[in-house]
Amino acid sequence: MSFDLAARLSARRAENLYRQRPLLESPQGPQVVVDGQPLLAFCNNDYLGLANHPQVIEAWQAGAARWGVGGGASHLVIGHSTPHHALEEALADLTGRPRALLFTTGYMANLGAVTALVGQGDTVLEDRLNHASLLDAGLLSGARFNRYLHNDAASLAKRLEKATGNTLVVTDGVFSMDGDLADLPALARETRAKGAWLMVDDAHGFGPLGAHGGGIVEHFGLSQEDVPVLVGTLGKAFGTAGAFVAGSEELIESLVQFARPYIYTTSQPPALACATLKSLELLRTEHWRREHLNALIRQFRQGAEQIGLTLMDSFTPIQPILIGDSARALRFSQLLRERGLMVTAIRPPTVPAGSARLRVTLSAAHTEAQVQLLLEGLAACFSLLGPVEPLEPNHA
Ligand SMILES: *Cc1c(COP(=O)(O)O)cnc(C)c1O
């Protein structure tokens, strides 16, 4: 009897799909030290540059001095403290929803929301390219689970015709590996027409998108009737950790009663909520961060197109360069690293087969000069590797 892990591991190596964890030896930021090497990095999700912001750190320290370090218990026992509550109220205000509920991670928020809302006899319909946590949540729920074509409201409508029971339609807001936006107005229209509910996980939209950082829902001006279940995570543009679900009083009370990943876990450290309250304030009010980020995105896209790189249909800080083959994506990433640039190669199964890519992410903490260095590095490596034969990503 054997699990034969050695064979699984060597097969993964042979397919160029083996994962390694780069060791970060500095705080997040454009300039990092990884595995002993100083690098200019373009791969975190700290889109507004708040993960290492002095005021956020100060709020964290003051929070720890006032409230201690550990959450101490689950929210329903005695772990729901004043900073958690204040953060929920601030997140409700950001989203324009009556209430918000704080979760420990985005993965848990998604598992909690989906499994609390649908079960056996119900239906959950998801975009093919949804984040793994949403797909896992759909499978775990026990509802009939079906995936529609990427961002395709007509494909969704066909599946809605056959849906039974309570039906939840689930989509990323900004797709995490492609950077494109869900066509929420069309998805919401189809969903409402069938009396189903739309759940949007806007992990990558909060902060960069919307006039006040309110994400894709603010960007499109959608109501709670359009998007009854709105999820955000705090580990990306907020620069801290945790997640939330925003929605109606009844939705939030139902999650408090029935969302097992909410109920059966210790609350996050209250000091973390203090830090997030500060980063939320910066996210909403420091518009220059969004403006600077948008200027960098335009600079990057123009430069990359001149080099002849294959970009995706994205105006968000997620700017993947499509490579196709996994070995080639790894090689490209390695060449960049030799030049002092860090851009992660993203491979299957995180993305569909044949659509490995370099996932460039930009942050308000980057300067124009740093983006210029990235473009020069990309041009040099691109000419070393020769032109890519762009494989169409399997988005169908
Ligand atoms: C990162 C991410 C999550 C998970 O959030 P964590 O707080 O990191 O667990 C969920 N959904 C999407 C779309 C994400 O990108």
Side-chain angles (χ1 to χ4, degrees):
M1 207 176 78
S2 155
F3 288 97
D4 211 354
L5 297 182
R8 282 179 70 190
L9 291 171
S10 61
R12 196 162 169 97
R13 257 186 226 284
E15 293 168 306
N16 292 303
L17 297 180
Y18 205 82
R19 265 66 170 171
Q20 269 158 324
R21 300 174 303 167
L23 182 62
L24 179 65
E25 296 163 334
S26 65
Q28 288 294 354
Q31 311 269 9
V32 292
V33 178
V34 174
D35 299 322
Q37 191 189 2
L39 292 169
L40 176 57
F42 294 89
C43 37
N44 72 24
N45 303 311
D46 180 25
Y47 303 122
L48 297 183
L50 298 176
N52 191 32
H53 192 288
Q55 287 182 47
V56 179
I57 295 169
E58 203 181 298
W60 167 288
Q61 287 169 335
R66 171 91 166 78
W67 302 99
V69 174
S74 67
H75 282 275
L76 299 194
V77 178
I78 194 174
H80 185 65
S81 67
T82 303
H84 296 133
H85 204 72
L87 178 55
E88 288 184 346
E89 285 173 349
L91 289 166
D93 191 52
L94 172 73
T95 55
R97 303 297 198 251
R99 283 188 67 188
L101 190 71
L102 193 57
F103 283 75
T104 308
T105 72
Y107 200 115
M108 290 166 70
N110 285 336
L111 287 193
V114 174
T115 59
L117 290 173
V118 289
Q120 257 180 25
D122 297 327
T123 304
V124 57
L125 301 175
E126 300 208 18
D127 189 289
R128 277 189 55 111
L129 297 187
N130 272 357
H131 189 264
S133 59
L134 294 172
L135 300 173
D136 292 356
L139 290 169
L140 186 66
S141 71
R144 248 186 77 193
F145 177 77
N146 219 309
R147 296 197 287 175
Y148 57 89
L149 298 182
H150 177 52
N151 217 358
D152 186 333
S155 167
L156 168 63
K158 264 193 243 152
R159 283 163 178 76
L160 278 167
E161 295 289 347
K162 298 187 211 134
T164 53
N166 290 328
T167 301
L168 189 64
V169 174
V170 184
T171 182
D172 279 22
V174 174
F175 286 88
S176 55
M177 295 301 136
D178 296 57
D180 57 334
L181 261 59
D183 184 2
L184 282 194
L187 298 173
R189 208 177 312 120
E190 295 300 341
T191 304
R192 283 182 74 171
K194 287 288 176 310
W197 271 19
L198 181 58
M199 167 170 160
V200 175
D201 171 2
D202 202 22
H204 300 273
F206 280 104
L209 292 185
H212 299 89
I216 191 168
V217 161
E218 186 182 17
H219 174 80
F220 283 125
L222 297 174
S223 68
Q224 180 168 298
E225 287 66 41
D226 294 316
V227 181
V229 188
L230 179 56
V231 178
T233 71
L234 304 172
K236 279 133 191 173
F238 287 85
T240 58
F244 62 90
V245 180
S248 69
E249 181 71 29
E250 269 184 7
L251 171 73
I252 299 307
E253 277 307 307
S254 300
L255 296 180
V256 171
Q257 305 306 317
F258 305 119
R260 295 167 63 90
Y262 180 75
I263 299 165
Y264 297 106
T265 198
T266 302
S267 65
Q268 63 169 226
L272 180 57
C274 297
T276 307
L277 274 163
K278 177 50 75 176
S279 74
L280 170 57
E281 181 194 318
L282 299 174
L283 175 147
R284 290 188 81 166
T285 56
E286 294 197 340
H287 298 296
W288 67 265
R289 293 179 187 276
R290 272 178 286 282
E291 286 156 17
H292 176 56
L293 182 57
N294 284 329
L296 296 180
I297 293 166
R298 283 192 298 273
Q299 180 196 353
F300 175 78
R301 287 189 67 87
Q302 272 176 9
E305 271 157 21
Q306 276 168 15
I307 302 166
L309 299 170
T310 308
L311 294 180
M312 292 184 153
D313 180 23
S314 162
F315 65 87
T316 68
I318 303 169
Q319 290 293 330
I321 299 165
L322 189 60
I323 306 291
D325 178 60
S326 291
R328 196 180 167 84
L330 280 180
R331 181 85 191 107
F332 208 141
S333 176
Q334 185 55 39
L335 282 174
L336 286 168
R337 197 150 159 175
E338 285 162 17
R339 297 182 57 98
L341 295 162
M342 178 143 179
V343 182
T344 318
I346 303 283
R347 295 161 286 162
T350 307
V351 292
S355 73
R357 64 202 64 179
L358 294 174
R359 182 175 180 267
V360 171
T361 52
L362 298 168
S363 162
H366 286 120
T367 63
E368 277 172 37
Q370 288 171 330
V371 172
Q372 191 54 36
L373 282 173
L374 172 65
L375 288 166
E376 285 162 16
L378 286 168
C381 297
F382 189 53
S383 67
L384 273 177
L385 278 175
V388 183
E389 287 165 41
L391 291 167
E392 272 304 303
N394 175 22
H395 281 187

